[in-house]
Amino acid sequence: MSRRHSFYARPLLVAAAAVTVLAGTAAAAPADPSPGRYTATAAALDDTYYQDALGKTGAELKAALHTIISDQTKLSYDQVWDALKATDEDPANSSNVVLLYTGRSQSKNDNGGGSGQWNREHVWAKSHGDFGTSTGPGTDVHHLRPEDVQVNSTRGNKDFDNGGSELGDAPGNFTDGDSFEPRDEVKGDVARMILYMAVRYEGTDSFADLEPNDQVDNGSAPKMGKLSVLKQWSQEDPPDTFEKRRNDVIFEQFQHNRNPFIDHPEWVGSIW
């Protein structure tokens, strides 16, 4: 690594600030207008969706959550386009989506493979476990996010860690030869997506057993790092309104399963 720093070396941006990135505007996470809503929702989920996981820790909790979240509707890779237009809709402009790493708000219809367009970023790199875009982990929208084509290419299949040089076309993101560091506002989002994948895909449904580890440069192994950094990111960047809404939309409209680490961030430390 060419650079190392703590999470707070670059303070989080004020949520209400608008930041111009590339040709668009970075959408800041909106303030939660009704914080009690999620408390009530969490309580209801504990009485229903998560009831078989309550009171468990460690491997027992992980196994219980795997059983719960494996009950899902699976999408095709083509269906992912439409799903992302709903899950990642810009709360300030319903015609746009918010891109994960750049934070840019961009037209939902400006998707594809061309320069300046957005495409489908596999946060758990699809080569880590060689699942490609097959229905299953390759199409699971809990870890698929819209992203600028060039920035997606720069991230490639790198593991996540602190360090590197700042991206000129995506300020606040850093990369070096073996890792990628997302902007502060989505560090926790990235961590919780990686850990969701590790619980959901345990090698029991014709796909590899995906697991986090505490290293980078994992290549094609079904591993993603760096676990110690991901745990730190999850703790220091807790779920915001955008992430919670996204979890709800996936549950209600598409896959009908949830990312448990958004509903219960404390379960990260209970398992790992």
Side-chain angles (χ1 to χ4, degrees):
M1 293 290 180
S2 60
R3 185 179 62 90
R4 282 290 181 268
H5 59 273
S6 67
F7 179 83
Y8 287 113
R10 293 185 306 281
L12 292 173
L13 298 178
V14 176
V19 181
T20 301
V21 180
L22 299 177
T25 300
D32 189 345
S34 54
R37 170 190 170 193
Y38 295 108
T39 302
T41 301
L45 290 169
D46 284 352
D47 287 341
T48 54
Y49 191 72
Y50 292 122
Q51 61 181 338
D52 292 337
L54 300 182
K56 297 182 170 79
T57 60
E60 189 179 20
L61 173 59
K62 189 182 181 202
L65 292 176
H66 170 73
T67 299
I68 292 167
I69 67 178
S70 293
D71 184 8
Q72 72 180 98
T73 298
K74 296 178 181 178
L75 307 180
S76 71
Y77 200 44
D78 283 341
Q79 288 174 316
V80 167
W81 286 120
D82 289 333
L84 294 182
K85 292 175 184 180
T87 61
D88 291 76
E89 180 179 292
D90 184 346
N93 184 346
S94 62
S95 296
N96 288 9
V97 291
V98 178
L99 308 191
L100 177 63
Y101 302 132
T102 64
R104 188 170 76 234
S105 178
Q106 186 158 340
S107 171
K108 291 179 177 179
N109 297 323
D110 194 16
N111 61 301
S115 177
Q117 291 186 304
W118 65 268
N119 61 3
R120 296 159 291 187
E121 153 73 335
H122 289 79
V123 177
W124 184 295
K126 57 184 180 289
S127 63
H128 289 230
D130 194 29
F131 53 75
T133 59
S134 300
T135 298
T139 64
D140 194 318
V141 289
H142 276 296
H143 86 115
L144 280 158
R145 300 291 294 265
E147 187 46 60
D148 175 85
V149 169
Q150 282 74 29
V151 176
N152 193 345
S153 178
T154 298
R155 187 264 157 143
N157 69 345
K158 295 174 182 176
D159 294 87
F160 293 101
D161 194 4
N162 293 315
S165 301
E166 188 169 22
L167 274 63
D169 52 358
N173 298 267
F174 296 77
T175 194
D176 58 19
D178 57 16
S179 71
F180 188 88
E181 177 187 349
R183 60 192 177 103
D184 289 344
E185 295 85 349
V186 297
K187 279 181 162 70
D189 307 51
V190 166
R192 287 180 285 273
M193 285 186 277
I194 294 297
L195 299 177
Y196 161 87
M197 293 293 283
V199 171
R200 170 60 186 88
Y201 299 99
E202 294 277 38
T204 57
D205 49 6
S206 78
F207 296 105
D209 179 7
L210 306 183
E211 292 294 339
N213 64 5
D214 209 34
Q215 64 184 59
V216 294
D217 203 15
N218 278 297
S220 62
K223 310 289 184 184
M224 282 292 294
K226 192 173 183 180
L227 178 58
S228 58
V229 173
L230 294 172
K231 288 173 62 179
Q232 179 187 8
W233 289 355
S234 181
Q235 183 176 9
E236 294 175 336
D237 175 35
D240 60 20
T241 304
F242 188 92
E243 191 180 2
K244 291 173 183 176
R245 176 194 171 275
R246 189 176 197 277
N247 200 24
D248 288 341
V249 172
I250 294 172
F251 180 60
E252 294 164 5
Q253 300 182 29
F254 296 100
Q255 294 185 178
H256 311 298
N257 72 338
R258 302 186 67 84
N259 182 333
F261 304 113
I262 297 173
D263 297 320
H264 281 279
E266 74 278 8
W267 280 346
V268 172
S270 295
I271 295 175
W272 289 282

